[in-house]
Amino acid sequence: MIEQAQRILKKYYGYSEFRKGQDEIIENILKGNDTFCIMPTGGGKSICYQIPALMMDGITIVISPLISLMKDQVDALHSLGIPSTFINSSIPANQVEARINGAFNGIYKIVYIAPERLESLSFSYLLNRLPISMIAIDEAHCVSQWGHDFRPSYLSITTFINQMERRPVVTAFTATATEEVKKDVVKNLSLKAANTYVLGFDRENLHFAVERGVNKLAYVKDYLNTHKSDSGIIYAATRKEVDRLFAHLLKMGFSVGKYHAGLGDTERKSTQDDFLFDNVNVIIATNAFGMGIDKSNVRFVIHYNTPKNMESYYQEAGRAGRDGARAECILLFAAGDLHIQKFLIEQTLLDEARKANEYKKLQIMADYCHTNQCLRKFILSYFGDRDIVSQCNNCSACNDDRELVDISIDAQKIFSCIVRMGERFGINLVANVLKGSNIKKIRQFGFEALSTYGLMKDMTIVEITDLINMLIAEDYLKITEGKFPTVKLKQKAIAVLKGREKIMHKVARKPVEVKTDPGLFDILKALRKNISENSGLPPYVIFHDKTLHEMCKFFPQDKKSMLSISGVGENKFEKYGEAFIDAVKKYVLENNIKTPRQETEIINPKKDKTPTHLITYELYKQSMSIDEMCNERNLKPKTIQDHLVKCFQEGFEIDWDRFIPENTEDLILKAINETGAARLKPIKDILPEEIEYMAIKAVICKHF
Ligand code: ADP
Ligand code: MG
Ligand code: ZN
C-alpha cells in the first residue's frame, strides 16, 4: 500500500521521500481509521489526505475555510495532474450541480467545499449522491472557540456526517494544538477513536529573530535593500500603521503593496494576486492578510509590531518558507506595541474571563520579546513540544555574538533627565531636552535651564528615542497607559542611577547582506514568471523556489535528471520540463559551467568531481589544439578526441571547423558517402594520408 503511495508521491508531486510522519498518517487513513493530524504550517498536511484520496475508490470531500485558498489548492492540484474541483459561494448554482455531476461521473477525485455549504439542506442532498470515501477537514482548529479562527459553520460538519448513510473516513488537520483546541476538534468533529499524530511544531528552516530598540523604519529599509528580489510580508498592528509604512516604503521606491480590512474587496484581491504572481515583492498588512495565502516562496515575515499572542505570531511568521528553504521571521519590538494590543483587547466585546485570558497571552508574547534564551525553545515549549534542545543555533538569541557595550553613562543621563522633568512627560520631550532642542514646549516649561539639557547633543533624536525604548523594553523605565503616555523610572533604574549597577547592551546589528546570484536562478525565475503570465497560474504553483534552487545546483539538462529534481513530477515535466532544460543548457554553455552531469553525481551531490571529458572541454574553450590538450592532460589524442565527441553528444557546442583543415571537408564528405559513417577506418583508408582521424570525426559530427 505504502509503496503505491510512494509511487504517487514521485509521479505526481515529484518528491522522492515522505516527510516525517506523512507515510504513517497515509497508511493509517488507508486502513480506514479516523485520523487527527497536527503538523506545523508548511509541514505537508495536504499530501496526507490527497494521496489517500487518489488511492481510495470514491470521492474525497475536503472542507477548507477560505475561498481564495481553495481555488489556489485546486489550481495547484491541476498543475500536478490531479483531477479536482471546488464548490463555494463564488460558484453559480448551475455550476455547482455540474461539478457534483462531474464528481459523480468520475471526472473529479477530490472536491473542495466551503463549510458554509453544508448548512444548506439542498446542497447536502446533492452531495449525498456521491460515493464519499473520505471527508478531510483542513484547518480543523476552526471548529474550536478557543482557536484563533473560530468558524461556526465548522460545527455543521458533524451534522452532515451523522446523516450520511455510510460513514466515510473522517480526517482532520491543523497546525494549532493547544490542549483546549485539541479536545474541541475531537469532540466537535465527532472523530471516532481517531488516531492522533502530533508531529512537533518545529520549522527548522525558519530563522527567528527579535530586534529590540531599533529604529524600525530604518531597519525595514535596510532589510528590503539587502533582500531586493525576495518575497516577504510585513505585519503591522493597525490599519493606520499599515498605511503609513506603505506610503514611506513606496516613496523610497520599494516594490510594495498593502492589505487591510479597510480596503475594498477588489483592491484587496488585486493586491493579493500581485503578491501571488510576484508582481510586488512585499505586502504590508494587518493580520487580516494571510489566511488565504499558500504562497510557498515567502522568504521573510517581519512583524513591525508585536502581535497579540504566540499563536498568532507563530501562524503569521509561519507563512514564511513553506517550501522548506531558509526564511527569516523577524519581530521588531517596541514597548508601545504592547499598549496598542492592550487597547485592542479593551475594544473587544469579550467577557472579563476571556479578556483576562488575552492579557495573559499578551504577557507571554512580551516575554518572548525580552527573553535571552533560545527563541525556538521558547516557542516550542509554549506549544508543549517535548523533545526540544536547549539551543537551536538558528535564532537571534543563539546566534547573538554582538559585543556587549556598557551604556550605563547614557542611561544615567536619561534617568536623571526624566527625574528632573518630574516624570510627567513622554519619550519625545525627554529626548528633545537631552538633545538640547530649541522648541516651544521646552521653553514653556523652562527645561532649557536643566543641567541635563543638551547633555546628549551629539546623538540624533532617533538614537536617543531608541535608547529610551530599549530601557523600557529592559524594564528600567515604565510607560504609563492612556492617550498621553509618560515615562517613569522603575526600581531597577535607581541602582544604575546611583552607580551601583551597570547596564550592558548589545548593539543592534545591521541586516546581513544576502548575495543574490544574478545567474541561473534569476533566469529560471524570469522563465517561471513568463509561464505564469501565459498560463494564469501563480509562479510558485509552477515550481517552488526550492525546486529552482535545486536546478541551479544540479544543472539538469535531460529528462532523467530533470525528473530527479525535487518538485518536478511527470505532469510538470510534460508542461514545463523542456523549457527549463533549455534555459539550463543555454546558461551552462554560455557561462562555461562544469556540471556534474552523470546521474550518479546528481544522486550524490557531495561528490562534485568534474567529469574528465568536461575538463577537456574547458581546455577546448581556451582554444587549445588537440596536441596542446594532449600535453596538458597527459592523454592520448584519441582520448581527447573522444572527449570532445562526448561533449558534443551531450549538447555542448563545438566548433568542428577548427579541426577540419582547409579544403578537406568536401573530400572527407565524399569519402563518407562512399563508405558510410559507421566505421572510421574505411574512410581513413581511402583518404590522403595527411588527413587525420580528428578531421574525419569532426566532419561526421558536423554533418551527421
Ligand atoms: P501545510 O498544509 O502543512 O501547511 P502544505 O501541504 O501546503 O503544508 O505543504 C507545504 C509544502 O511542502 C508544499 O510546497 C508541498 O509541496 C511541500 N511538501 C509536502 N510534502 C513533501 C515531501 N514529502 N517532500 C518535499 N516537499 C513536500
Ligand atoms: Mg495546508
Ligand atoms: Zn535558538
Side-chain angles (χ1 to χ4, degrees), residues 15 17-19 22 40-47 322 544:
Y15 301 135
E17 279 166 36
F18 282 114
R19 289 204 185 133
Q22 284 178 326
T41 311
K45 291 184 280 296
S46 323
I47 279 179
R322 294 179 79 118
H544 292 315

Side-chain angles (χ1 to χ4, degrees), residues 9 13 15-19 22 39-47 49 73 138-139 175 294 296 322-324 544 546 566:
L9 182 71
Y13 298 85
Y15 301 135
S16 312
E17 279 166 36
F18 282 114
R19 289 204 185 133
Q22 284 178 326
M39 208 189 249
T41 311
K45 291 184 280 296
S46 323
I47 279 179
Y49 56 82
Q73 284 181 311
D138 204 7
E139 313 292 350
D294 241 350
S296 74
R322 294 179 79 118
D323 53 8
H544 292 315
K546 211 177 164 201
S566 172

